[in-house]
């Protein structure tokens, strides 16, 4: 179920004859990270070419439009907007004139000091063209008194707080940066002699690029014709987003050094150890509950089966026919398979509970399909806090676990039993202490100052 929205995916490529085509493929693979807008900018004979649009990558680009985006360097972006209006000027890459030339920027993440910085910059005379946090980078670069462009960029980064996986394109090359906590993923690959950067490695797989490594926390890469240079502008304080593993990233991607599918399966295994139950069948809530359900089944020995089917063709445009059946609710997306469910004690595995309304409907649907018992197991801890680092979570008040304990939630959703994986179990599955994570939406420990 689409419970949370990822805010963006970024892609960049330098020194490839079909740069814009590669950006298209990259964005196509990253579409799950944002569906409300997309754009590709390319660099051709020192000129910037750009096409942006609202909606999906496949609906905005075709052979003809990609043909026009000539050049051997390109960056792209897919976007999900949160507070801003769904306006084309907020769709990235953002572009600005700069010292007789230009710069184009793709950013994933939210800046936690954006409001303060924006106010300050506006008071100093900056004119913003969009509502996006990302434009702040451009104004900070423009006002820097440093000599070289690279120094201006580094100085801009020193003023911002929060999450950024960032790709900036100018005539001289790509500058790529990840915030000191490394909230959002960002990886580097090679495709022939070209360097490729993307939010997730699934983008590399589609075009046959070879993964090299992740951009490190607080690292800046300077990619030019002469090659690649790495420098550190800020001290690393790793706090990778653990929810990327639970829900957001594609299972075939490897992020923060591990394959997402493998981590999700491990979350399910640990869930089975922490919260066993006598049951006849393990059923995932598709699609995001699938790997954890496989892990739960393998560890518990309870057979796995697809007792719920997802309709993959439901978009945001479904309109309930007014005159006939009303209140389709969750049935539009999910339906129970009666032959799997009838007469069984069912364990359903889901990745999280937001408001509880969807879980309640799923449980009702399973009971209507003849389930004898329904036990819900969640492969993450209770979501009690909102995210300020680039994930569109509901407000705290809307998160059922912020105001209800597990037993109260169980009663509300009408499950026979309910249990969540512990935070420690999540951390272990994600290989703590080898890696340190942001877990703020589960425990309220925000790694940076936030104004909530
Ligand atoms: Fe990820 Fe939650 Fe931290 Fe946001 S608050 S970065 S979703 S772990």
């Amino acid at each position: 179920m689409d419970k949370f929205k990822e805010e963006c995916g970024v892609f960049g490529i330098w020194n490839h004859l079909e740069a814009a085509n590669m950006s298209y493929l990259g964005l196509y693979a990253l579409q799950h990270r944002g569906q409300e807008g997309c754009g590709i900018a390319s660099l051709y004979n020192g000129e910037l070419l750009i096409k942006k649009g609202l909606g999906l990558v496949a609906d905005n680009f075709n052979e003809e439009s990609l043909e026009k985006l000539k050049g051997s360097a390109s960056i792209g972006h897919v976007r999900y907007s949160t507070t801003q209006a769904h306006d084309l000027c907020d769709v990235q890459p953002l572009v600005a004139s700069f010292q007789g030339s230009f710069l184009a920027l793709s950013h994933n993440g939210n800046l936690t000091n954006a409001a303060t910085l924006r106010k300050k910059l506006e008071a100093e005379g900056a004119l913003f063209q969009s509502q996006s946090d990302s434009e702040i980078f451009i104004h900070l670069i423009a006002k820097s008194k440093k000599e070289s462009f690279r120094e201006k960029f580094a100085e801009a980064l020193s003023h911002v707080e929060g999450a950024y996986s960032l790709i900036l394109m100018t005539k001289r090359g790509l500058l790529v940066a990840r915030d000191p906590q490394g909230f959002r993923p960002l990886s580097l690959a090679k495709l022939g002699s070209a360097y490729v950067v993307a939010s997730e490695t699934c983008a590399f797989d589609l075009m046959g690029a070879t993964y090299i490594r992740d951009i490190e926390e607080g690292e800046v890469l300077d990619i030019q014709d002469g090659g690649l240079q790495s420098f550190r502008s800020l001290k690393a304080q790793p706090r990778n987003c653990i929810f990327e593993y639970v829900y957001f990233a594609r299972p075939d991607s490897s992020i923060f050094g591990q394959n997402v599918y493998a981590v999700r399966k491990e979350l399910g295994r640990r869930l089975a150890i922490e919260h066993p139950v006598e049951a006849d069948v393990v059923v995932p809530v598709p699609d995001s509950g699938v790997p954890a359900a496989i892990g739960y089944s393998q560890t518990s020995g309870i057979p796995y089966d697809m007792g719920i089917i997802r309709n993959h063709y439901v978009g945001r445009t479904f309109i309930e026919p007014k005159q006939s059946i009303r209140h389709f609710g969750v049935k539009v997306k999910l339906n129970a398979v009666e032959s799997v469910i009838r007469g069984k004690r069912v364990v359903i595995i889901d990745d999280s509970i937001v408001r509880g309304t969807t879980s309640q409907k799923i449980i009702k649907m399973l009971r209507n399909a003849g389930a004898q018992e329904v036990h819900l197991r969640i492969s993450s801890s209770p979501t009690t806090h909102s995210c300020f680092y680039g994930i569109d979570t509901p407000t705290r008040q809307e998160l059922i676990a912020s105001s209800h304990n597990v037993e109260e939630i169980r009663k509300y959703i009408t499950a026979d039993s309910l249990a969540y994986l512990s935070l420690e179990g999540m951390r272990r599955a994600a290989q703590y202490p080898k890696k340190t994570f942001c877990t703020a939406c589960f425990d309220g420990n925000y790694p940076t100052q936030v104004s909530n």
Side-chain angles (χ1 to χ4, degrees):
M1 302 298 289
D2 298 332
K3 298 166 184 167
F4 305 97
K5 306 292 179 197
E6 177 68 64
E7 268 195 62
C8 298
V10 296
F11 181 88
I13 185 162
W14 186 261
N15 193 25
H16 192 282
L17 284 175
E18 290 184 63
N21 283 342
M22 295 304 126
S23 283
Y24 170 76
L25 291 176
L27 296 187
Y28 206 92
L30 297 172
Q31 186 76 82
H32 61 289
R33 297 186 74 87
Q35 298 92 40
E36 296 201 348
C38 57
I40 297 176
S42 70
L43 175 64
Y44 180 60
N45 281 344
E47 297 291 320
L48 184 78
L49 307 170
I50 185 155
K51 175 165 167 49
K52 304 199 277 192
L54 297 173
L56 301 175
V57 178
D59 297 335
N60 277 286
F61 293 93
N62 54 28
E63 248 179 79
E64 201 186 331
S65 55
L66 288 169
E67 180 67 26
K68 287 182 187 157
L69 293 169
K70 296 182 189 309
S72 60
S74 170
I75 64 171
H77 192 266
V78 285
R79 173 170 192 273
Y80 172 75
S81 74
T82 49
T83 49
Q84 299 96 6
H86 302 170
D87 200 331
L88 197 56
C89 63
D90 288 324
V91 176
Q92 299 188 22
L94 294 180
V95 172
S97 302
F98 182 72
Q99 296 181 340
S101 185
F102 67 84
L103 54 85
L105 174 143
S106 290
H107 167 218
N108 174 206
N110 266 15
L111 304 182
T112 46
N113 63 343
T116 315
L117 284 175
R118 194 179 176 107
K119 221 165 138 190
K120 190 165 174 274
L121 286 161
E122 281 176 341
E124 289 165 3
L127 295 173
F128 279 77
Q129 293 172 29
S130 72
Q131 293 303 307
S132 165
D133 284 8
S134 315
E135 199 182 335
I136 287 169
F137 290 105
I138 293 174
H139 291 284
L140 288 172
I141 292 168
K143 81 183 261 280
S144 171
K145 299 272 184 292
K146 295 283 182 190
E147 272 292 302
S148 73
F149 187 76
R150 195 163 110 166
E151 285 173 319
K152 288 179 193 294
F153 183 67
E155 190 181 53
L157 297 184
S158 72
H159 290 295
V160 299
E161 286 166 17
Y164 55 86
S165 281
L166 188 70
I167 310 177
L168 193 139
M169 182 170 73
T170 64
K171 282 184 201 174
R172 67 185 282 286
L174 302 183
L175 279 168
V176 179
R178 198 161 162 231
D179 60 75
Q181 287 76 24
F183 288 105
R184 310 264 75 88
L186 191 63
S187 300
L188 174 72
K190 273 216 107 170
L191 180 60
S193 54
Y195 280 106
V196 191
V197 180
S199 291
E200 288 184 38
T201 60
C202 61
F204 304 148
D205 298 339
L206 189 57
M207 65 196 66
T210 307
Y211 168 80
I212 302 174
R213 65 177 178 87
D214 287 358
I215 317 304
E216 287 172 19
E217 295 85 356
E219 183 184 13
V220 177
L221 291 185
D222 189 354
I223 301 172
Q224 298 188 44
D225 283 340
L228 174 148
Q229 277 187 346
S230 159
F231 67 98
R232 186 161 290 283
S233 69
L234 297 160
K235 191 172 172 280
Q237 298 169 315
R239 287 288 185 276
N240 304 157
C241 168
I242 204 161
F243 226 154
E244 289 273 355
Y245 279 140
V246 174
Y247 179 75
F248 306 119
R250 250 174 67 161
D252 52 335
S253 288
S254 289
I255 57 163
F256 314 142
Q258 282 196 92
N259 169 243
V260 175
Y261 179 83
V263 174
R264 280 188 195 159
K265 223 163 122 180
E266 184 59 25
L267 291 167
R269 283 197 196 103
R270 286 176 183 271
L271 187 59
I273 295 165
E274 286 187 16
H275 301 290
V277 62
E278 293 263 324
D280 304 305
V281 64
V282 175
V283 168
V285 176
D287 293 323
S288 52
V290 170
I294 293 172
Y296 194 99
S297 164
Q298 287 176 353
T299 300
S300 63
I302 304 168
Y304 169 94
D305 217 335
M306 290 295 287
I308 301 173
I309 299 299
R310 179 175 178 163
N311 179 351
H312 285 267
Y313 299 96
V314 177
R316 286 152 190 241
T317 49
F318 182 81
I319 297 159
E320 292 194 10
K322 288 212 165 40
Q323 301 306 321
S324 53
I325 317 157
R326 301 294 302 273
H327 310 305
F328 291 85
V330 76
K331 273 188 156 182
V332 176
K333 272 193 178 169
L334 302 175
N335 197 14
V337 183
E338 203 177 318
S339 61
V340 173
I341 302 298
R342 183 155 293 282
K344 306 262 178 65
R345 296 168 298 170
V346 181
V347 195
I348 38 171
I349 311 288
D350 205 351
D351 53 78
S352 51
I353 298 178
V354 183
R355 296 174 181 85
T357 45
T358 302
S359 308
Q360 192 187 56
K361 285 173 188 162
I362 290 172
I363 290 166
K364 191 173 174 210
M365 188 173 77
L366 292 172
R367 292 205 196 278
N368 287 343
Q372 212 180 79
E373 293 172 15
V374 182
H375 304 274
L376 179 56
R377 295 290 177 272
I378 303 296
S379 63
S380 65
S381 297
T383 312
T384 51
H385 289 72
S386 299
C387 176
F388 297 91
Y389 305 116
I391 303 298
D392 182 21
T393 41
T395 60
R396 258 201 98 179
Q397 293 69 33
E398 291 173 285
L399 294 166
I400 191 167
S402 73
S403 53
H404 294 71
N405 64 30
V406 176
E407 177 54 16
E408 288 166 344
I409 300 171
R410 184 201 66 75
K411 276 193 188 146
Y412 176 72
I413 63 174
T414 70
D416 291 292
S417 75
L418 166 68
Y420 292 81
L421 183 62
S422 66
L423 202 47
E424 188 55 19
M426 287 179 72
R427 286 202 185 100
R428 295 280 163 203
Q431 286 205 0
Y432 173 86
K434 220 169 106 192
K435 287 269 172 185
T436 44
F437 293 96
C438 172
T439 51
C441 49
F442 305 107
D443 59 12
N445 290 327
Y446 293 96
T448 67
Q449 197 96 50
V450 290
S451 49
N452 52 338

